[in-house]
Amino acid sequence: MTRTAIIIGAGIGGIASAARLARAGYDVTVVEKNEKPGGRASTIEQDGFFFDTGPSLFLMPPTFAQTYADLGERMEDHLDLVRIDPTYRVHFHDGSILDLGSNLNALHQQLETFEPGTFEALMRFLAEGYKRYTKSLDKFVGRNFYNLFDFFTPANLPLLFQLKPLVKHYTDTSRYFKDARLRAGLSFQNMYLGLSPFDAPATYTLLQYTEMVEGVWYPRGGMYAIITSLTRIAEGLGAKFHYNAPVKQIDVDVDRAVGVTLENREKLKADVMVANADLPYVYTDLLPDPDGKSATKMDRLKYTSSTLLFYWGVKGERSEKLLHHNIFLSDHQYQSSFAQIFEAHTLPAEPSFYIHAPVRTVPNFAPKDSDALMVLVPTGHLDAAHQQDWPALQERARQWVFKRLAEIGLDDVKERIVFEATYTPPDYRRIWNLAKGATFGLSHNVMQVGYLRPQNRHSQYKNLYFAGASTHPGTGLPIVLLSAKLVQERILKEQPAP
């Protein structure tokens, strides 16, 4: 008899889980709240403008390639990837810029203008990042932890010194670079994970290695090409997708999840379930919690930052002052800006921000005489204990971006905007059920990684698994793809065949 599986949520973790289980012989049904797959990795298409709404950097290509290979496919047959080099342009508060990329000669010349003799330090910095990258994938990120002793083993003790999880990323970066601009420009990447470089473990210097050595890539069809191709593969393997089908509750019986009840009262049953919805939301809203213990536990966990997002269709010139990826750092208030985000849960007085300008790589993402810009401004997550006037904070962020753009000679962007869409933290909670509107899910502090992170199988309901950013191993598209792989491994190991 064919075993059945229900996947709650069609984010990339849910899609990959569906495809993997379908290939393993399961009869798979995916139920998705929204009208199309992708979760946060979605799109906005309007008046000839095209925007990715979620991740915009394609990192760790081998992890994506392995996912396609495990599904019997070749990544190259589905994605037309372009390497983005320079990776991005970093704009500092004093008007200086740094183009980070793989052209070592150009990078050498730039670094000399910031801090003479620092190129050698960068090579050592990247070599250390390589060691942490390979060891993290092998020992932590790419494997399951079935019990505490899998995690805390004598063999793992040397990793405390090799990966430096107890050292802060900014502190570690400062060992290599003295110039405050370089320290900021080579540590802000923690924000890809919604973390502060002053709190994130030094382990995450691996991010700079992945960017500068493996490279940052971009699919010619946009990041959503990943979603459409994996969905197509999953459907080809027999998985069935149901959209506009929000789940009201997960139905349970003693120690097993037996199915789901949809908002329209339809009931579906399955032998195995994978929740790709945000893990805290599953515990607090979809599972029984009569005494409120799950809600209390989830509230005590640490969460990542949120974001204020602007999608602008801009009439007129596509400025060469913006590359595909652009970072604007308020580096003279660098540390205090992170305190405002992660402690006060608000928008910094002088926020740093990121601009994605994909028309430089895919010209047809905007009409010929126009540009398409996505602006991401990190801010604090929802917090009932702090006053948060989101319309006012959003407007302040918008005006700050215009100010910084004017400083580099783009002083008429505001007047040339012909289309705008926005997202704020309340939107993240409403549209994608993200607890506290935290864009990247649960944080990755030392007490929330590996076995200490919420597990990818429920402790009571032994056939309920989790794939996504808030479970092991963590956030980011390639890491969530790994979470789907780890879930498949557990299910095939733990769920008996009929």
Side-chain angles (χ1 to χ4, degrees), residues 387-399:
Q387 183 176 359
Q388 296 171 310
D389 183 344
W390 291 113
L393 293 174
Q394 183 183 54
E395 183 57 25
R396 181 158 67 81
R398 179 188 282 108
Q399 296 305 321

Side-chain angles (χ1 to χ4, degrees), residues 231-244:
T231 302
R232 203 161 44 238
I233 291 169
E235 290 174 333
L237 292 167
K240 299 175 289 294
F241 287 75
H242 299 275
Y243 302 109
N244 297 308

Side-chain angles (χ1 to χ4, degrees), residues 226-256:
I226 307 165
I227 301 300
T228 56
S229 67
L230 289 176
T231 302
R232 203 161 44 238
I233 291 169
E235 290 174 333
L237 292 167
K240 299 175 289 294
F241 287 75
H242 299 275
Y243 302 109
N244 297 308
V247 172
K248 181 178 181 180
Q249 67 181 37
I250 296 173
D251 301 320
V252 298
D253 183 14
V254 188
D255 63 350
R256 295 186 68 79

Side-chain angles (χ1 to χ4, degrees), residues 9-166:
I12 194 169
I15 298 166
S17 296
R20 286 179 171 277
L21 291 179
R23 184 169 169 80
Y26 275 76
D27 182 351
V28 179
T29 299
V30 183
V31 287
E32 164 58 39
K33 171 190 176 185
N34 294 307
E35 62 185 11
K36 63 182 181 180
R40 282 160 280 181
S42 188
T43 62
I44 295 173
E45 300 176 57
Q46 179 93 20
D47 301 332
F49 296 100
F50 179 96
F51 304 90
D52 289 306
T53 63
S56 57
L57 288 86
F58 188 102
L59 298 170
M60 300 172 62
T63 301
F64 285 89
Q66 186 61 55
T67 294
Y68 282 94
D70 290 348
L71 300 175
E73 303 283 340
R74 295 174 68 250
M75 180 176 71
E76 296 82 0
D77 295 334
H78 295 272
L79 301 177
D80 182 7
L81 296 175
V82 181
R83 184 162 185 168
I84 308 301
D85 200 4
T87 303
Y88 40 68
R89 173 167 291 169
V90 184
H91 296 260
F92 298 102
H93 78 279
D94 63 356
S96 58
I97 64 172
L98 176 64
D99 288 348
L100 287 172
S102 62
N103 185 329
L104 297 184
N105 184 53
L107 194 55
H108 187 185
Q109 294 178 26
Q110 289 184 84
L111 290 174
E112 286 298 309
T113 66
F114 283 85
E115 184 181 328
T118 198
F119 183 73
E120 181 183 348
L122 177 67
M123 295 299 100
R124 290 187 283 109
F125 182 69
L126 293 177
E128 189 63 32
Y130 166 74
K131 294 176 185 177
R132 294 171 187 174
Y133 176 66
T134 53
K135 288 184 181 296
S136 293
L137 281 179
D138 181 44
K139 301 295 185 180
F140 288 106
V141 177
R143 58 160 296 185
N144 279 303
F145 296 100
Y146 294 95
N147 55 63
L148 191 62
F149 301 104
D150 272 353
F151 189 60
F152 292 105
T153 66
N156 283 344
L157 286 178
L159 297 177
L160 284 174
F161 303 96
Q162 296 166 358
L163 300 181
K164 296 193 174 180
L166 303 180

